[in-house]
Amino acid sequence: MAKVPRKRAKMGKSTREQLEMLDKSELIDKILRLEAHNEQLKLSIAKSTDTELKKEKTPKKVRRSFDFSRCHKRHILLKFYYLGWDYHGFTVQDDNSDTIEHHLFAALLKSCCIESRESANYHRCGRTDKGVSSFSQVVSLDVRSRLELENQDNLPDELPYCKMLNRLLPANIRCTAWCPVAFNFSARFDCKYRKYKYFFPRGNLDIDAMNKAAKYVIGDHDFRNICKMDVANGVVNFKRTVIDARVIVVSDDNVEKSTGYDMCELEITSQAFLWHQIRCLMGILLLVGQRKEEPEIILKLLDIETCPQKPQYTMAHQVPLNLWYCDYENVKWFIDEDELLHTIKILQQDWALNTIKSTMIKNMLMELENFVNCVSTNFQSDCLLLGVQSKIYQPLMKREMC
């Protein structure tokens, strides 16, 4: 009878049937291999334990705290831009760390420009909301200086504040300039005026009618019907002075023929603004541009004697809004050209990638529009009015009042 060859057991886990098929010498070999493997495991575990014990016994290096008492100080203005559509607003929030101010103070503290926010004599010029951007936000604060008081006019020898902060800030928040000012100078209270821009596509909007309506807000007015009430923060005075306001086309794709893809902007300047004042105004201007309201609706809303209550309407989208400029008297900004060139390069990268995406989408739209026989396909600006739009439009002055 032919002898059946026995299968050799693998190094893995064996079954009882497999072990019974092995002869004595094969079982001895397997046991010796397992014992050798166990010894290797014991040595490895012992070595690992010794390493952990050595780590515990080794004293940790204590980071020396920065001695601010040995530093000179100066009071400065910092100018910076940020693309705010990915952030939850400018101001620090208790329950959210994704704000512009949170990142700014993280950089100021890590670079040892300041010891703490509480001791920094800090003021901000504007308080932008979630999704809103700024090209020229300004803050004032005390920072450490490498120069003695009598030599602080020598700005090129000062600490490179913009470079220091930009190395620690996210790529879409960049310091562009700084300026020495007196210790009692406030970025908020010494600002002469603030200018905002709201960018939007032409779509099917009547830009001339929107511009006519925007002109009505110039001057001293009570804007309680064109803002969001902020009584919780003690705001009970709704009178503001608008220095200038206009709606213009800023870029024509075709100089011979206007299209719905032309970019436009509302530019508005005032010493101060109310909460959501510009987005409320833009919400009304969009209704005027859609020919659902006459430009004179602005005059009716500004007349609080005949219209003492605000009609219910939706604000415009937050992403197109930008705090564009803050003006101060006798301020000369110091700019590090090398650092500014680096910042320009970063912003150009953003522009290139976003323009490529925009151009790609626009070309896709052009192809699709060739298959549609509608009179107009200019819906580009429709998304800027928040909320659900009623199929049957109800005039503002006939709506329910707040």
Side-chain angles (χ1 to χ4, degrees), residues 3 40 78 81 91 139 157 182 193 196 205 211 255 267 273 282 305 393:
K3 189 177 180 180
Q40 287 179 346
L78 266 179
Y81 77 75
T91 310
V139 300
D157 291 339
Y193 67 81
Y196 279 83
L205 300 174
N211 186 51
V255 294
E267 183 182 277
F273 290 93
M282 192 64 205
E305 291 185 3
Y393 182 76

Side-chain angles (χ1 to χ4, degrees), residues 176-358:
T176 56
W178 69 275
C179 172
V181 288
F183 277 94
N184 61 350
F185 196 97
S186 168
R188 177 185 176 187
F189 298 109
D190 287 300
C191 182
K192 297 305 176 184
Y193 67 81
R194 297 156 175 85
K195 178 186 293 184
Y196 279 83
K197 290 190 177 187
Y198 190 99
F199 299 91
F200 62 97
R202 183 198 294 267
N204 60 356
L205 300 174
D206 185 339
I207 302 301
D208 291 335
M210 293 176 72
N211 186 51
K212 182 179 179 181
K215 294 295 182 184
Y216 288 135
V217 303
I218 297 175
D220 301 325
H221 301 287
D222 189 312
F223 285 93
R224 67 183 63 194
N225 292 329
I226 310 179
C227 74
K228 190 172 182 179
M229 294 291 184
D230 196 15
V231 180
N233 287 322
V235 179
V236 293
N237 177 16
F238 303 100
K239 291 183 178 180
R240 296 293 185 271
T241 302
V242 173
I243 300 169
D244 191 26
R246 58 178 183 160
V247 176
I248 59 172
V249 179
V250 292
S251 66
D252 291 326
D253 277 6
N254 189 333
V255 294
E256 297 179 357
K257 182 182 178 181
S258 62
T259 74
Y261 294 97
D262 298 339
M263 290 305 298
C264 310
E265 69 179 25
L266 163 68
E267 183 182 277
I268 184 167
T269 305
S270 177
Q271 184 180 9
F273 290 93
L274 294 161
W275 190 26
H276 290 327
Q277 181 179 346
I278 301 172
R279 288 175 61 194
C280 285
L281 173 61
M282 192 64 205
I284 299 165
L285 292 179
L286 288 170
L287 295 176
V288 172
Q290 294 171 359
R291 301 173 185 84
K292 294 177 179 177
E293 297 286 347
E294 295 296 323
E296 286 69 31
I297 186 63
I298 297 292
L299 294 175
K300 294 178 181 179
L301 293 171
L302 292 175
D303 187 352
I304 61 170
E305 291 185 3
T306 58
C307 185
Q309 292 175 286
K310 176 185 173 183
Q312 293 186 359
Y313 59 86
T314 56
M315 297 189 299
H317 204 286
Q318 68 272 15
V319 167
L321 185 58
N322 190 300
L323 172 56
W324 194 255
Y325 184 69
C326 306
D327 184 65
Y328 300 90
E329 283 186 0
N330 302 319
V331 165
K332 294 182 179 179
W333 295 101
F334 178 76
I335 296 173
D336 181 335
E337 288 194 11
D338 290 337
E339 181 61 22
L340 191 60
L341 284 172
H342 181 67
T343 297
I344 288 171
K345 184 178 180 181
I346 291 174
L347 201 56
Q348 283 180 341
Q349 291 173 357
D350 275 344
W351 171 85
L353 292 174
N354 283 288
T355 303
I356 289 167
K357 292 177 183 178
S358 176

Side-chain angles (χ1 to χ4, degrees), residues 53-144:
L53 288 172
K54 287 179 181 178
K55 285 183 178 179
E56 290 178 5
K57 291 179 181 179
T58 303
K60 293 181 179 179
K61 291 183 179 180
V62 179
R63 185 181 178 184
R64 294 177 61 186
S65 59
F66 194 88
D67 189 358
F68 284 90
S69 64
R70 302 177 62 182
C71 300
H72 304 289
K73 279 190 176 183
R74 74 185 312 159
H75 194 59
I76 68 170
L77 295 179
L78 266 179
K79 181 193 287 188
F80 55 100
Y81 77 75
Y82 52 87
L83 303 175
W85 40 71
D86 291 329
Y87 294 97
H88 286 256
F90 181 79
T91 310
V92 163
Q93 301 171 19
D94 293 334
D95 58 346
N96 197 313
S97 61
D98 205 12
T99 65
I100 308 298
E101 239 178 21
H102 171 84
H103 291 289
L104 176 62
F105 273 97
L108 287 166
L109 291 167
K110 192 170 184 179
S111 61
C112 294
C113 283
I114 64 170
E115 186 173 7
S116 68
R117 174 170 178 159
E118 292 73 22
S119 63
N121 188 18
Y122 170 78
H123 286 102
R124 56 178 174 258
C125 179
R127 186 184 64 181
T128 56
D129 294 313
K130 179 181 178 181
V132 178
S133 301
S134 178
F135 173 60
S136 295
Q137 175 69 279
V138 177
V139 300
S140 56
L141 72 170
D142 296 343
V143 293
R144 70 179 173 97

